[in-house]
Amino acid sequence: MKKSTLSLSILFFQFLIIGLHSQTLEWNTLGSGDKTDLYSEQNYMDVSTGLVPVENTINGDTEINRDVCIRSGVVGGENGASLTLKTGIGGLTVENATLIMNSAENAGIDLGVGNTNFIMSNATVRTQFVHNATIIMEGRSQ
């Protein structure tokens, strides 16, 4: 009996981790957000639901544990996003967009411990650092 309970617990944990990782937050310039704040849920769409993510899904210096895709706009605004973007077990894609992290606050990008991909495709990223990422640059990225 203990062995089957342990097996079910392990399967549930694996399902939970895989389920969290498969969720994607996509930057949504059609949403009601200000179109620049990296940490405003109103600027994103949860791809699995088609809705704006719930409050406190995206916070600086807190692991998001989802893939983040930014495919348009100047994210972070003129001064850049403060606090570090931590995706946890998720990856980061910046495509045909600009992502600016605030240099005065030493804000950067940390993709956690999963050796996840940071994909830049025809994108510009200004940041103080990138940690724990496999960086893939395509097109005219810088």
Side-chain angles (χ1 to χ4, degrees):
M1 189 70 163
K2 287 184 180 182
K3 187 175 182 179
S4 68
T5 304
L6 178 63
S7 296
L8 286 174
S9 296
I10 290 171
L11 284 173
F12 176 75
F13 181 72
Q14 288 174 334
F15 174 77
L16 180 64
I17 294 297
I18 291 169
L20 285 174
H21 186 64
S22 65
Q23 294 179 344
T24 301
L25 299 176
E26 184 149 345
W27 186 259
N28 180 12
T29 57
L30 302 176
S32 62
D34 66 4
K35 316 293 188 268
T36 61
D37 185 354
L38 178 63
Y39 303 116
S40 171
E41 286 81 5
Q42 298 299 314
N43 288 324
Y44 290 89
M45 177 182 69
D46 184 329
V47 173
S48 64
T49 65
L51 301 172
V52 171
V54 297
E55 190 174 337
N56 290 321
T57 298
I58 306 163
N59 293 312
D61 282 335
T62 303
E63 291 185 351
I64 298 169
N65 291 322
R66 298 181 187 195
D67 291 326
V68 176
C69 295
I70 300 169
R71 293 198 164 92
S72 63
V74 179
V75 180
E78 195 174 301
N79 295 320
S82 59
L83 304 175
T84 295
L85 173 63
K86 294 183 176 183
T87 62
I89 60 172
L92 175 62
T93 300
V94 181
E95 181 179 349
N96 299 315
T98 300
L99 173 60
I100 303 170
M101 304 303 290
N102 188 299
S103 61
E105 296 186 32
N106 198 30
I109 298 167
D110 187 341
L111 299 191
V113 296
N115 193 25
T116 52
N117 290 337
F118 175 13
I119 301 170
M120 296 170 49
S121 180
N122 296 313
T124 300
V125 176
R126 292 192 334 227
T127 183
Q128 293 301 298
F129 61 86
V130 175
H131 290 217
N132 302 312
T134 300
I135 300 172
I136 301 167
M137 296 178 71
E138 303 169 341
R140 300 179 59 125
S141 296
Q142 53 182 337

